[in-house]
Amino acid sequence: MNIFIAVILGSLFGFIMHKAGATNPQIIINMLRLKNLHLMKAILLGIGISNLALFLLLATGVVDPLHVSVKSSYVGVIIGGVLLGIGWAISGFCPGTGVIAIGSGRKDALPFILGGLVGAFIYMLVYEKLVGSILLDKLGGKTTLAVTGNENFPALFPDVPGIVVAGIIAIVFIIIAWMLPEGDNA
Amino acid sequence: MKKLLFQKQWGWRTSGIGLGIIFVLAVAIIKPIGVSTQFVILDGAIWNIFSNEIIVENSDTKSGYSSPNAYLNKSGGKYAKNAANLFNYSFIFVVAMVLGGFIANRLTPTKGGNEDLFAPPVWRNQFGASPFKRYFAVFLGGILALIGARLAGGCTSGHMMSGMMQTSLSGYLFAAGAFAAAVPVAILMYRKGK
C-alpha cells in the first residue's frame, strides 16, 4: 500500500515541479541571478500555503503530529546549504529537480545525477571523520518556531498556539510572494 | 483541468498552490518529502553489489541491518536497511518523480530548440555551445550539491520546502546558507545574461 502511495505522490510531485518550471536550469539560474522571480514567487506562495494548511490540519486533529518530522539544526546545516547553493547555481539543478529532469528528457540531468552519486559517496566515506567535529555541533537541535504537538520537537514559542505562529509566518510569505516583481525573461 | 494538464508552464499562483498541496499531502498521508538521502541509498545498493560485507543482517540493531561504513550504519542501520531493500516508500517516491517529469513533458513536449536540452541559453551565452563543457560543470555541480545536502542532512525539498512548512529552524538556516551562496555565484558566473 505504501509503495502504491509512493508512486502516486512521487509522480504528482515530479509533475507539479516540472509544470512550475523548477526542472528548467534556465529558470533556476535566472531566479538566482534575481532576473526572473516567477519561480521564487511560486516557492514562497507554496511554503506559505503549506504552512497554513499543515498547522490547520494539526490543530483540527486531521493530521497526526507523529507525521511531523523535523530535521536537526547544527553548524553543517548552514555550511551544507552554502555548498549546495554553489552546486545549484553552477548547474541550475538541485537534487530533486535533477531527478525529475531525467524524466522530462533533459540531456544535462544525467551528469548531474552521476555527480550527485559521487558527492553522496564522498560524504559516506568522510562522515566518520566528521563525527565529533564542529560541523556536526548542535545549533538549536530539532526546534520549530510553531508548536506542532509532537513532543520530540520543542518550539521556540511554546506558549502561543502553533496555528497562530504558523499563520503569521504564512501570511508574511504570501504577502512577499505577491509583492515581489516577476521580472523579465533576460 | 485540461488547461492544467496541457499548459507548458503554470503561472506562479497555480505553481505555488500545486507545490503547497503536494507538500502537505505527503506529510498528511505518510511523511515530509525528501530526496537527497536516496542518493546515499542508491550508492549503498550499488556498493552492496560489489561487496558482501558492506551491508549485513544484524539482529542487534534497531533496523536489523548494520554496516562497517559509519554513515550507512547511522541511526541503527536505517540507511543500510533501505539500501538492502530498495523497494521502500522513500526510494520508490524518488523513482516515481522521474515518471512524473516524463508524463508532464509528454503532454507538452519541447518543440524545436533541442540544444536547450543540453545547456540552457544563459549557459551557452556565457560558455559556448559545447555540451561537454556543460556536462562537466553540471557533474561538478552535482558533486557539490550532494556533499552539501548530506552535510546539511537534507536538500531544497527536505530542508527548504518540507522544513519551512513545519516551521523548522533548520529549514531557515539551510535556506539562508543556500541563497547566500547561490545568488552571488549565479550573478558572477552568468554575467552575460539572457
Side-chain angles (χ1 to χ4, degrees):
Chain A
M1 186 58 193
N2 270 10
I3 297 293
F4 176 71
I5 296 172
V7 172
I8 301 294
L9 289 180
S11 323
L12 196 57
F13 180 50
F15 187 90
I16 292 171
M17 290 283 277
H18 184 75
K19 289 292 188 187
T23 53
N24 185 346
Q26 175 79 5
I27 292 175
I28 294 286
I29 290 169
N30 279 336
M31 171 183 83
L32 295 175
R33 293 173 62 234
L34 309 178
K35 292 293 181 189
N36 185 345
L37 299 180
H38 172 94
L39 184 61
M40 194 71 232
K41 287 161 78 77
I43 292 172
L44 290 168
L45 180 63
I47 294 175
I49 288 175
S50 56
N51 219 246
L52 194 60
L54 175 63
F55 280 84
L56 272 175
L57 294 172
L58 284 170
T60 51
V62 178
V63 169
D64 186 345
L66 289 176
H67 282 212
V68 170
S69 171
V70 175
K71 293 172 187 287
S72 189
S73 295
Y74 49 92
V75 178
V77 170
I78 302 173
I79 315 276
V82 166
L83 290 175
L84 177 131
I86 298 170
W88 192 23
I90 293 174
S91 62
F93 290 119
C94 57
T97 64
V99 169
I100 303 166
I102 293 262
S104 73
R106 282 205 67 90
K107 309 291 181 215
D108 48 4
L110 189 60
F112 178 82
I113 297 300
L114 293 176
L117 289 169
V118 171
F121 192 66
I122 292 172
Y123 189 75
M124 286 164 80
L125 296 180
V126 300
Y127 172 75
E128 201 169 4
K129 302 219 163 52
L130 301 182
V131 177
S133 78
I134 185 174
L135 281 175
L136 301 187
D137 269 358
K138 280 233 151 55
L139 201 72
K142 297 185 175 182
T143 311
T144 58
L145 303 178
V147 176
T148 59
N150 185 324
E151 288 172 3
N152 295 321
F153 311 122
L156 281 182
F157 302 100
D159 302 322
V160 188
I163 181 66
V164 174
V165 177
I168 293 170
I169 296 173
I171 291 167
V172 170
F173 271 90
I174 293 170
I175 290 176
I176 298 175
W178 234 271
M179 285 175 60
L180 276 184
E182 197 149 357
D184 53 81
N185 274 312
Chain B
M1 192 66 198
K2 203 172 168 195
K3 196 179 156 214
L4 283 184
L5 289 177
F6 292 97
Q7 195 175 15
K8 187 134 195 79
Q9 195 194 331
W10 293 343
W12 70 269
R13 287 184 203 84
T14 315
S15 302
I17 294 168
L19 289 172
I21 290 174
I22 185 65
F23 275 91
V24 173
L25 212 52
V27 73
I29 300 177
I30 307 278
K31 61 173 187 174
I33 292 176
V35 177
S36 69
T37 306
Q38 304 316 311
F39 282 76
V40 173
I41 301 302
L42 184 55
D43 276 337
I46 295 169
W47 199 350
N48 197 25
I49 295 173
F50 294 101
S51 158
N52 292 323
E53 288 130 46
I54 195 63
I55 298 173
V56 287
E57 289 192 39
N58 183 341
S59 54
D60 294 338
T61 63
K62 207 169 120 192
S63 69
Y65 289 84
S66 69
S67 170
N69 177 270
Y71 199 57
L72 286 175
N73 202 38
K74 196 166 93 91
S75 314
K78 196 173 67 185
Y79 292 167
K81 181 189 176 187
N82 285 342
N85 310 283
L86 287 183
F87 208 65
N88 64 72
Y89 174 83
S90 303
F91 191 77
I92 297 299
F93 182 97
V94 171
V95 174
M97 286 163 59
V98 180
L99 180 66
F102 178 80
I103 295 170
N105 186 54
R106 259 305 154 94
L107 292 176
T108 47
T110 312
K111 293 180 199 94
N114 212 13
E115 55 187 356
D116 282 356
L117 292 177
F118 292 90
V122 70
W123 168 279
R124 296 202 306 274
N125 256 350
Q126 188 79 38
F127 301 106
S130 155
F132 295 102
K133 213 165 157 186
R134 164 76 181 156
Y135 291 169
F136 182 69
V138 167
F139 181 76
L140 284 183
I143 293 179
L144 282 172
L146 263 297
I147 291 179
R150 284 300 85 211
L151 174 59
C155 60
T156 330
S157 305
H159 260 315
M160 209 186 281
M161 297 294 297
S162 298
M164 288 169 85
M165 165 181 75
Q166 302 174 104
T167 72
S168 309
L169 179 63
S170 54
Y172 284 88
L173 294 180
F174 177 85
F179 279 105
V183 168
V185 170
I187 289 174
L188 289 174
M189 193 171 157
Y190 297 101
R191 279 184 305 274
K192 286 188 186 161
K194 274 290 174 218

mmCIF file with all atom_site columns, all heavy atoms in Angstrom, chain A residues 103-119:
data_model
loop_
_atom_site.group_PDB
_atom_site.id
_atom_site.type_symbol
_atom_site.label_atom_id
_atom_site.label_alt_id
_atom_site.label_comp_id
_atom_site.label_asym_id
_atom_site.label_entity_id
_atom_site.label_seq_id
_atom_site.pdbx_PDB_ins_code
_atom_site.Cartn_x
_atom_site.Cartn_y
_atom_site.Cartn_z
_atom_site.occupancy
_atom_site.B_iso_or_equiv
_atom_site.pdbx_formal_charge
_atom_site.auth_seq_id
_atom_site.auth_comp_id
_atom_site.auth_asym_id
_atom_site.auth_atom_id
_atom_site.pdbx_PDB_model_num
ATOM 1   N N   . GLY A 1 103 ? 13.469 12.448 -16.177 1.00 0.00 ? 103 GLY A N   1
ATOM 2   C CA  . GLY A 1 103 ? 12.213 12.006 -16.784 1.00 0.00 ? 103 GLY A CA  1
ATOM 3   C C   . GLY A 1 103 ? 11.716 12.958 -17.853 1.00 0.00 ? 103 GLY A C   1
ATOM 4   O O   . GLY A 1 103 ? 11.163 12.545 -18.859 1.00 0.00 ? 103 GLY A O   1
ATOM 5   N N   . SER A 1 104 ? 11.959 14.260 -17.643 1.00 0.00 ? 104 SER A N   1
ATOM 6   C CA  . SER A 1 104 ? 11.432 15.225 -18.602 1.00 0.00 ? 104 SER A CA  1
ATOM 7   C C   . SER A 1 104 ? 12.342 15.368 -19.821 1.00 0.00 ? 104 SER A C   1
ATOM 8   O O   . SER A 1 104 ? 12.078 16.187 -20.691 1.00 0.00 ? 104 SER A O   1
ATOM 9   C CB  . SER A 1 104 ? 11.207 16.589 -17.925 1.00 0.00 ? 104 SER A CB  1
ATOM 10  O OG  . SER A 1 104 ? 12.437 17.220 -17.674 1.00 0.00 ? 104 SER A OG  1
ATOM 11  N N   . GLY A 1 105 ? 13.388 14.571 -19.871 1.00 0.00 ? 105 GLY A N   1
ATOM 12  C CA  . GLY A 1 105 ? 14.178 14.463 -21.096 1.00 0.00 ? 105 GLY A CA  1
ATOM 13  C C   . GLY A 1 105 ? 15.324 15.449 -21.230 1.00 0.00 ? 105 GLY A C   1
ATOM 14  O O   . GLY A 1 105 ? 15.849 15.639 -22.332 1.00 0.00 ? 105 GLY A O   1
ATOM 15  N N   . ARG A 1 106 ? 15.765 16.074 -20.150 1.00 0.00 ? 106 ARG A N   1
ATOM 16  C CA  . ARG A 1 106 ? 16.925 16.966 -20.255 1.00 0.00 ? 106 ARG A CA  1
ATOM 17  C C   . ARG A 1 106 ? 18.200 16.141 -20.349 1.00 0.00 ? 106 ARG A C   1
ATOM 18  O O   . ARG A 1 106 ? 18.426 15.231 -19.560 1.00 0.00 ? 106 ARG A O   1
ATOM 19  C CB  . ARG A 1 106 ? 17.003 17.892 -19.036 1.00 0.00 ? 106 ARG A CB  1
ATOM 20  C CG  . ARG A 1 106 ? 16.043 19.065 -19.062 1.00 0.00 ? 106 ARG A CG  1
ATOM 21  C CD  . ARG A 1 106 ? 16.583 20.200 -18.210 1.00 0.00 ? 106 ARG A CD  1
ATOM 22  N NE  . ARG A 1 106 ? 17.793 20.757 -18.786 1.00 0.00 ? 106 ARG A NE  1
ATOM 23  C CZ  . ARG A 1 106 ? 17.814 21.756 -19.655 1.00 0.00 ? 106 ARG A CZ  1
ATOM 24  N NH1 . ARG A 1 106 ? 16.708 22.330 -20.020 1.00 0.00 ? 106 ARG A NH1 1
ATOM 25  N NH2 . ARG A 1 106 ? 18.956 22.194 -20.142 1.00 0.00 ? 106 ARG A NH2 1
ATOM 26  N N   . LYS A 1 107 ? 19.043 16.497 -21.319 1.00 0.00 ? 107 LYS A N   1
ATOM 27  C CA  . LYS A 1 107 ? 20.274 15.725 -21.520 1.00 0.00 ? 107 LYS A CA  1
ATOM 28  C C   . LYS A 1 107 ? 21.305 16.006 -20.427 1.00 0.00 ? 107 LYS A C   1
ATOM 29  O O   . LYS A 1 107 ? 22.167 15.189 -20.154 1.00 0.00 ? 107 LYS A O   1
ATOM 30  C CB  . LYS A 1 107 ? 20.901 16.063 -22.882 1.00 0.00 ? 107 LYS A CB  1
ATOM 31  C CG  . LYS A 1 107 ? 19.948 15.981 -24.050 1.00 0.00 ? 107 LYS A CG  1
ATOM 32  C CD  . LYS A 1 107 ? 19.536 14.552 -24.349 1.00 0.00 ? 107 LYS A CD  1
ATOM 33  C CE  . LYS A 1 107 ? 18.604 14.490 -25.544 1.00 0.00 ? 107 LYS A CE  1
ATOM 34  N NZ  . LYS A 1 107 ? 17.589 13.430 -25.404 1.00 0.00 ? 107 LYS A NZ  1
ATOM 35  N N   . ASP A 1 108 ? 21.253 17.204 -19.836 1.00 0.00 ? 108 ASP A N   1
ATOM 36  C CA  . ASP A 1 108 ? 22.267 17.548 -18.827 1.00 0.00 ? 108 ASP A CA  1
ATOM 37  C C   . ASP A 1 108 ? 21.877 17.086 -17.421 1.00 0.00 ? 108 ASP A C   1
ATOM 38  O O   . ASP A 1 108 ? 22.612 17.331 -16.464 1.00 0.00 ? 108 ASP A O   1
ATOM 39  C CB  . ASP A 1 108 ? 22.570 19.056 -18.842 1.00 0.00 ? 108 ASP A CB  1
ATOM 40  C CG  . ASP A 1 108 ? 21.307 19.912 -18.830 1.00 0.00 ? 108 ASP A CG  1
ATOM 41  O OD1 . ASP A 1 108 ? 20.203 19.336 -18.735 1.00 0.00 ? 108 ASP A OD1 1
ATOM 42  O OD2 . ASP A 1 108 ? 21.430 21.144 -18.919 1.00 0.00 ? 108 ASP A OD2 1
ATOM 43  N N   . ALA A 1 109 ? 20.725 16.391 -17.296 1.00 0.00 ? 109 ALA A N   1
ATOM 44  C CA  . ALA A 1 109 ? 20.326 15.923 -15.965 1.00 0.00 ? 109 ALA A CA  1
ATOM 45  C C   . ALA A 1 109 ? 21.147 14.713 -15.536 1.00 0.00 ? 109 ALA A C   1
ATOM 46  O O   . ALA A 1 109 ? 21.488 14.576 -14.355 1.00 0.00 ? 109 ALA A O   1
ATOM 47  C CB  . ALA A 1 109 ? 18.831 15.583 -15.946 1.00 0.00 ? 109 ALA A CB  1
ATOM 48  N N   . LEU A 1 110 ? 21.495 13.856 -16.503 1.00 0.00 ? 110 LEU A N   1
ATOM 49  C CA  . LEU A 1 110 ? 22.230 12.630 -16.139 1.00 0.00 ? 110 LEU A CA  1
ATOM 50  C C   . LEU A 1 110 ? 23.598 12.931 -15.521 1.00 0.00 ? 110 LEU A C   1
ATOM 51  O O   . LEU A 1 110 ? 23.922 12.385 -14.461 1.00 0.00 ? 110 LEU A O   1
ATOM 52  C CB  . LEU A 1 110 ? 22.359 11.702 -17.354 1.00 0.00 ? 110 LEU A CB  1
ATOM 53  C CG  . LEU A 1 110 ? 22.913 10.318 -17.017 1.00 0.00 ? 110 LEU A CG  1
ATOM 54  C CD1 . LEU A 1 110 ? 22.007 9.592  -16.019 1.00 0.00 ? 110 LEU A CD1 1
ATOM 55  C CD2 . LEU A 1 110 ? 23.082 9.467  -18.281 1.00 0.00 ? 110 LEU A CD2 1
ATOM 56  N N   . PRO A 1 111 ? 24.419 13.812 -16.142 1.00 0.00 ? 111 PRO A N   1
ATOM 57  C CA  . PRO A 1 111 ? 25.693 14.123 -15.477 1.00 0.00 ? 111 PRO A CA  1
ATOM 58  C C   . PRO A 1 111 ? 25.502 14.735 -14.082 1.00 0.00 ? 111 PRO A C   1
ATOM 59  O O   . PRO A 1 111 ? 26.330 14.496 -13.194 1.00 0.00 ? 111 PRO A O   1
ATOM 60  C CB  . PRO A 1 111 ? 26.385 15.119 -16.415 1.00 0.00 ? 111 PRO A CB  1
ATOM 61  C CG  . PRO A 1 111 ? 25.435 15.427 -17.504 1.00 0.00 ? 111 PRO A CG  1
ATOM 62  C CD  . PRO A 1 111 ? 24.356 14.395 -17.497 1.00 0.00 ? 111 PRO A CD  1
ATOM 63  N N   . PHE A 1 112 ? 24.399 15.459 -13.889 1.00 0.00 ? 112 PHE A N   1
ATOM 64  C CA  . PHE A 1 112 ? 24.153 15.994 -12.548 1.00 0.00 ? 112 PHE A CA  1
ATOM 65  C C   . PHE A 1 112 ? 23.904 14.861 -11.552 1.00 0.00 ? 112 PHE A C   1
ATOM 66  O O   . PHE A 1 112 ? 24.465 14.853 -10.450 1.00 0.00 ? 112 PHE A O   1
ATOM 67  C CB  . PHE A 1 112 ? 22.950 16.952 -12.555 1.00 0.00 ? 112 PHE A CB  1
ATOM 68  C CG  . PHE A 1 112 ? 22.621 17.510 -11.193 1.00 0.00 ? 112 PHE A CG  1
ATOM 69  C CD1 . PHE A 1 112 ? 23.327 18.593 -10.685 1.00 0.00 ? 112 PHE A CD1 1
ATOM 70  C CD2 . PHE A 1 112 ? 21.646 16.922 -10.387 1.00 0.00 ? 112 PHE A CD2 1
ATOM 71  C CE1 . PHE A 1 112 ? 23.061 19.091 -9.415  1.00 0.00 ? 112 PHE A CE1 1
ATOM 72  C CE2 . PHE A 1 112 ? 21.370 17.418 -9.120  1.00 0.00 ? 112 PHE A CE2 1
ATOM 73  C CZ  . PHE A 1 112 ? 22.082 18.505 -8.636  1.00 0.00 ? 112 PHE A CZ  1
ATOM 74  N N   . ILE A 1 113 ? 23.074 13.896 -11.958 1.00 0.00 ? 113 ILE A N   1
ATOM 75  C CA  . ILE A 1 113 ? 22.762 12.774 -11.053 1.00 0.00 ? 113 ILE A CA  1
ATOM 76  C C   . ILE A 1 113 ? 24.017 11.955 -10.775 1.00 0.00 ? 113 ILE A C   1
ATOM 77  O O   . ILE A 1 113 ? 24.267 11.538 -9.638  1.00 0.00 ? 113 ILE A O   1
ATOM 78  C CB  . ILE A 1 113 ? 21.654 11.879 -11.673 1.00 0.00 ? 113 ILE A CB  1
ATOM 79  C CG1 . ILE A 1 113 ? 20.360 12.682 -11.841 1.00 0.00 ? 113 ILE A CG1 1
ATOM 80  C CG2 . ILE A 1 113 ? 21.405 10.646 -10.808 1.00 0.00 ? 113 ILE A CG2 1
ATOM 81  C CD1 . ILE A 1 113 ? 19.789 13.246 -10.557 1.00 0.00 ? 113 ILE A CD1 1
ATOM 82  N N   . LEU A 1 114 ? 24.828 11.726 -11.823 1.00 0.00 ? 114 LEU A N   1
ATOM 83  C CA  . LEU A 1 114 ? 26.073 10.971 -11.614 1.00 0.00 ? 114 LEU A CA  1
ATOM 84  C C   . LEU A 1 114 ? 26.986 11.716 -10.649 1.00 0.00 ? 114 LEU A C   1
ATOM 85  O O   . LEU A 1 114 ? 27.562 11.123 -9.728  1.00 0.00 ? 114 LEU A O   1
ATOM 86  C CB  . LEU A 1 114 ? 26.782 10.729 -12.952 1.00 0.00 ? 114 LEU A CB  1
ATOM 87  C CG  . LEU A 1 114 ? 26.035 9.787  -13.909 1.00 0.00 ? 114 LEU A CG  1
ATOM 88  C CD1 . LEU A 1 114 ? 26.767 9.694  -15.250 1.00 0.00 ? 114 LEU A CD1 1
ATOM 89  C CD2 . LEU A 1 114 ? 25.874 8.396  -13.289 1.00 0.00 ? 114 LEU A CD2 1
ATOM 90  N N   . GLY A 1 115 ? 27.120 13.030 -10.846 1.00 0.00 ? 115 GLY A N   1
ATOM 91  C CA  . GLY A 1 115 ? 27.903 13.841 -9.913  1.00 0.00 ? 115 GLY A CA  1
ATOM 92  C C   . GLY A 1 115 ? 27.332 13.739 -8.507  1.00 0.00 ? 115 GLY A C   1
ATOM 93  O O   . GLY A 1 115 ? 28.066 13.618 -7.524  1.00 0.00 ? 115 GLY A O   1
ATOM 94  N N   . GLY A 1 116 ? 26.011 13.758 -8.413  1.00 0.00 ? 116 GLY A N   1
ATOM 95  C CA  . GLY A 1 116 ? 25.337 13.653 -7.118  1.00 0.00 ? 116 GLY A CA  1
ATOM 96  C C   . GLY A 1 116 ? 25.661 12.347 -6.419  1.00 0.00 ? 116 GLY A C   1
ATOM 97  O O   . GLY A 1 116 ? 25.922 12.321 -5.208  1.00 0.00 ? 116 GLY A O   1
ATOM 98  N N   . LEU A 1 117 ? 25.672 11.259 -7.192  1.00 0.00 ? 117 LEU A N   1
ATOM 99  C CA  . LEU A 1 117 ? 26.000 9.961  -6.591  1.00 0.00 ? 117 LEU A CA  1
ATOM 100 C C   . LEU A 1 117 ? 27.445 9.954  -6.104  1.00 0.00 ? 117 LEU A C   1
ATOM 101 O O   . LEU A 1 117 ? 27.743 9.401  -5.040  1.00 0.00 ? 117 LEU A O   1
ATOM 102 C CB  . LEU A 1 117 ? 25.755 8.827  -7.606  1.00 0.00 ? 117 LEU A CB  1
ATOM 103 C CG  . LEU A 1 117 ? 24.274 8.545  -7.897  1.00 0.00 ? 117 LEU A CG  1
ATOM 104 C CD1 . LEU A 1 117 ? 24.124 7.601  -9.089  1.00 0.00 ? 117 LEU A CD1 1
ATOM 105 C CD2 . LEU A 1 117 ? 23.573 7.958  -6.664  1.00 0.00 ? 117 LEU A CD2 1
ATOM 106 N N   . VAL A 1 118 ? 28.341 10.587 -6.871  1.00 0.00 ? 118 VAL A N   1
ATOM 107 C CA  . VAL A 1 118 ? 29.747 10.682 -6.444  1.00 0.00 ? 118 VAL A CA  1
ATOM 108 C C   . VAL A 1 118 ? 29.848 11.531 -5.173  1.00 0.00 ? 118 VAL A C   1
ATOM 109 O O   . VAL A 1 118 ? 30.516 11.160 -4.197  1.00 0.00 ? 118 VAL A O   1
ATOM 110 C CB  . VAL A 1 118 ? 30.627 11.279 -7.568  1.00 0.00 ? 118 VAL A CB  1
ATOM 111 C CG1 . VAL A 1 118 ? 32.035 11.575 -7.056  1.00 0.00 ? 118 VAL A CG1 1
ATOM 112 C CG2 . VAL A 1 118 ? 30.686 10.326 -8.758  1.00 0.00 ? 118 VAL A CG2 1
ATOM 113 N N   . GLY A 1 119 ? 29.148 12.660 -5.164  1.00 0.00 ? 119 GLY A N   1
ATOM 114 C CA  . GLY A 1 119 ? 29.175 13.544 -3.994  1.00 0.00 ? 119 GLY A CA  1
ATOM 115 C C   . GLY A 1 119 ? 28.660 12.855 -2.739  1.00 0.00 ? 119 GLY A C   1
ATOM 116 O O   . GLY A 1 119 ? 29.272 12.939 -1.669  1.00 0.00 ? 119 GLY A O   1
#
